[in-house]
Amino acid sequence: MKERFRQSMAWLHTWGGLLFGWLLFVVMLTGTLLLFRPEIDRWMRPELAAVSPPAAVAATAAQRYLERHAAGAGGWTIHLPSERAPYLEVQWPAGGTVATRFLDPATGEAIAVRDTEAGDFLLHLHFELHGGRLGMWIVGATGIAALVALVSGIVVHRRIFKDFFTLRPRASPHRAWLDAHNAMGVLTLPFQLMIAYTGVALFFYIYMPAGFAPLFGGSPDRFFEAVFPGPSRPAAGEAAPLLPLAAILERAATFIGPDAVDTITVRNPGDRNAVVGLRGFDDELRLLARRAALDGATGEMLSRQKDFPPSYEAWGVMVGLHFARFGEAAVRWLYAIGGLAGVGMVASGLILFAIKRHRRSDAVSARLVDALNVAVVAGLPCAVAGFLWANRLLPGGVPDRAAWEIGIFFATWLAMLPHAAFRPAARALVEQLGLAAMLCAAPPLLDALAAGDHLARSLRQGDWAIPGIDLGALAVGLLLAGAALAVARATAAFPRPGASASGRYERPVAQDGAA
Amino acid sequence: MVRRGPLEIASRVSAAVLGGYALTFALVRTTAATLPLPPVDALMVPTLLSFAVYVAAIVWAMGVSSPGRAWLGLLGPAVLLLALSP
């Protein structure tokens, strides 16, 4: 009975892991990169020098600009400079899209910044595969699959504690990959469970909307109105000047310190019923903002909130755990280690599948699995590096420049597929890892050699965002080169007897042991 | 390895994925409607726990001896819960 259950779990782990492994790899790799999203954003917009004006100065500059250029818009959003995002960004809805400008708080003028989606693109890839609501459901299913794979993996892995530190890199490739897979999975198991669970729970209102019908008339909006009972005032249709935002910040200072304000929103600016919203995050585990709403014309405090229903606070803690904003850089690096281990766990699992299932098979399905394994595991890093290249090499004046960057990302990725399909799998893996290594190392070199003065300027100012990403990309390049060498050596050490053209990660069939 | 036919696999996987979701959905709905808590908490408590329930349902359905049992074990309680739901 017990043994039969274990076998069922092995089947579930193997096939569920294969089916969702490729998606999981994409989600985990982009998630790991997103730990450094503000820095990536800054690297991809090198024109923005770091500034840290007082909140009142930045708000005043933003208001002056928006009153001149977006007076008729239904709403404004102002992102004040912060430690990790030290620039002033304003947004307003304009003809179906959102207009974004970066402002110099000293002059109040817009800064010419290359058109890029930067980290936003990686974010949308992470939670919806760049594919809207359908993509979100696929990523949600991937999160559940990750949890199922972890649970079934624990059941399958009988000697979970005994094997804790077993690593036999000189054993057969199968053993080596299995040990690596287990070590990475077991050592970071709590992190993997946490990150998958909180990731799914983040979008509870989409993935599990069962409770809205009996309690909120089926409407998530009414639920959120109950959580945030702020004012909802429609425009009066009567003009009234908006108070200076600096004065509004001052008015709310006892509830939310001006320099703790992260975002200012203005609904119906210039209307008698304008509402100014202030939002700021406290330095704590939960990622729930304290918020205040003030009358834009009179400055009267309409509502303020820092406490939420206890269960909603619990959700806020889950969000905080997922986003890793609760600590300093050390927390992000710990998360990065967990994320990389997860990426490695998935990659080694995919390769294990190829080794175990298709050892002697040249079937189409085997070739397909091999090709997808390589094109995802090594192809995605190539594509991300291509995205960074595009950011540095595409001229500023290209129309739809941001879309071109994304196009180059997907084109690079697609180009990996035929290569992975027509080369022997192990060779393809080594070659694409090598290519990814070179591609990752190049943008920093471009920065150092060719690009404008932004690297020198950053270093002069002791601002590490741009050189930090440069060094990070170099380090990732070295890591990938190491991985390429390791795979090359492992597969060379075990030449396949009577090797065929398939060239998978072979080992002599005689060494076949129970997995 | 337990050998299984493709039909059996399809039935079992659908039971796990769809039946498991149906059971979780019914459980959340009924619990949310009956918990003696303010509405926001009554909704959030079962909803935040639901993903663990779903994972457990999938694992259970994949491990149980036959797909018929998986369907019965998931949809039976789901229907019962919805019938009891106020």
Side-chain angles (χ1 to χ4, degrees):
Chain A
M1 184 65 206
K2 232 174 146 188
E3 187 52 27
R4 201 187 50 77
F5 181 69
R6 212 182 69 81
Q7 285 180 356
S8 302
M9 289 301 107
W11 185 91
L12 180 60
H13 189 81
T14 304
W15 290 98
L18 178 76
L19 205 60
F20 285 96
W22 298 307
L23 289 167
L24 203 51
F25 187 87
V26 176
V27 173
M28 290 176 117
L29 185 69
T30 49
T32 306
L33 291 172
L34 282 166
L35 287 167
F36 306 98
R37 179 175 168 204
E39 289 75 25
I40 292 174
D41 279 344
R42 296 198 53 213
W43 189 91
M44 296 187 78
R45 295 190 182 100
E47 297 85 357
L48 292 175
V51 291
S52 52
V57 172
T60 304
Q63 183 172 8
R64 211 165 48 224
Y65 183 88
L66 288 165
E67 279 174 348
R68 254 187 296 143
H69 294 95
W76 301 337
T77 304
I78 303 165
H79 301 285
L80 296 176
S82 63
E83 196 186 334
R84 287 182 75 198
Y87 47 78
L88 176 59
E89 181 182 3
V90 296
Q91 294 176 310
W92 66 92
T97 62
V98 177
T100 299
R101 298 284 184 278
F102 297 91
L103 307 181
D104 182 339
T107 66
E109 292 304 321
I111 304 168
V113 174
R114 66 189 66 197
D115 179 25
T116 175
E117 283 202 17
D120 245 12
F121 169 66
L122 296 174
L123 179 67
H124 285 274
L125 205 58
H126 176 65
F127 81 87
E128 60 176 14
L129 302 173
H130 203 60
R133 191 48 70 94
L134 176 66
M136 261 182 103
W137 277 99
I138 296 173
V139 172
T142 306
I144 294 291
L147 291 168
V148 169
L150 288 167
V151 171
S152 55
I154 296 167
V155 176
V156 174
H157 193 20
R158 267 178 301 195
R159 297 175 304 155
I160 194 158
F161 292 106
K162 219 170 163 187
D163 276 358
F164 211 67
F165 290 102
T166 314
L167 197 60
R168 289 159 285 188
R170 302 273 170 263
S172 72
H174 169 245
R175 267 282 151 209
W177 284 110
L178 182 64
D179 289 343
H181 181 70
N182 289 344
M184 287 187 277
V186 172
L187 286 173
T188 62
L189 186 64
F191 174 82
Q192 309 301 348
L193 285 168
M194 177 278 286
I195 210 78
Y197 200 92
T198 55
V200 176
L202 247 167
F203 296 115
F204 68 92
Y205 50 94
I206 290 171
Y207 295 143
M208 188 48 70
F212 293 122
L215 291 171
F216 296 94
S219 157
D221 289 346
R222 281 177 47 192
F223 166 81
F224 285 110
E225 281 161 22
V227 176
F228 307 107
S232 72
R233 298 202 304 185
E238 236 177 90
L242 181 66
L243 282 181
L245 290 177
I248 292 202
L249 283 172
E250 194 54 47
R251 285 246 184 178
T254 52
F255 176 69
I256 179 167
D259 288 310
V261 174
D262 168 87
T263 309
I264 304 175
T265 55
V266 183
R267 231 178 309 140
N268 303 313
D271 187 90
R272 189 169 55 79
N273 270 354
V275 176
V276 178
L278 306 179
R279 222 187 57 170
F281 292 96
D282 297 323
D283 188 12
E284 56 189 6
L285 180 54
R286 64 161 205 185
L287 199 65
L288 290 177
R290 62 166 67 201
R291 48 184 77 211
L294 296 96
D295 189 304
T298 67
E300 182 199 348
M301 179 77 83
L302 299 172
S303 74
R304 57 193 198 174
Q305 190 176 13
K306 68 177 167 56
D307 296 313
F308 302 86
S311 58
Y312 199 79
E313 298 257 354
W315 176 77
V317 169
M318 289 188 173
V319 179
L321 280 171
H322 194 85
F323 279 72
R325 301 244 179 92
F326 55 85
E328 298 296 318
V331 171
R332 292 194 287 280
W333 282 106
L334 279 177
Y335 269 62
I337 291 170
L340 282 179
V343 165
M345 172 181 70
V346 172
S348 55
L350 286 167
I351 289 168
L352 262 176
F353 180 97
I355 296 175
K356 275 175 70 178
R357 294 275 143 188
H358 298 302
R359 210 173 300 122
R360 278 152 293 181
S361 164
D362 281 313
V364 176
S365 63
R367 306 262 339 155
L368 189 71
V369 166
D370 280 343
L372 280 171
N373 277 353
V374 175
V376 170
V377 170
L380 179 61
C382 289
V384 172
F387 186 56
L388 298 183
W389 272 66
N391 179 266
R392 282 296 186 262
L393 293 180
L394 275 175
V398 178
D400 290 328
R401 190 182 175 286
W404 272 100
E405 284 184 5
I406 294 169
I408 288 170
F409 170 90
F410 283 112
T412 313
W413 202 357
L414 262 182
M416 298 302 143
L417 195 56
H419 173 264
F422 294 117
R423 296 283 286 164
R427 296 296 325 153
L429 185 60
V430 172
E431 287 162 5
Q432 289 198 17
L433 284 173
L435 178 67
M438 286 189 283
L439 287 176
C440 280
L445 297 181
L446 280 178
D447 259 359
L449 297 175
D453 57 348
H454 46 259
L455 186 62
R457 186 197 65 212
S458 308
L459 288 172
R460 230 174 16 248
Q461 295 177 342
D463 173 7
W464 277 92
I466 291 175
I469 292 293
D470 280 335
L471 290 174
L474 266 176
V476 170
L478 286 176
L479 205 69
L480 287 163
L485 279 179
V487 175
R489 211 175 301 137
T491 44
F494 294 91
R496 180 178 177 168
S500 80
S502 73
R504 293 188 192 87
Y505 323 84
E506 299 82 358
R507 65 199 169 108
V509 172
Q511 285 187 11
D512 198 350
Chain B
M1 188 68 219
V2 189
R3 293 278 166 215
R4 293 165 174 161
L7 266 182
E8 199 202 317
I9 290 172
S11 172
R12 186 186 286 273
V13 170
S14 330
V17 173
L18 303 177
Y21 191 81
L23 173 63
T24 312
F25 196 95
L27 193 65
V28 170
R29 192 190 152 107
T30 309
T31 317
T34 45
L35 270 184
L37 291 173
V40 170
D41 293 320
L43 181 130
M44 285 303 268
V45 169
T47 304
L48 289 183
L49 296 173
S50 69
F51 305 108
V53 174
Y54 187 29
V55 168
I58 292 174
V59 166
W60 177 81
M62 296 307 296
V64 82
S65 60
S66 77
R69 245 185 216 219
W71 278 112
L72 200 71
L74 295 169
L75 286 189
V79 171
L80 207 67
L81 277 167
L82 287 180
L84 289 175
S85 174

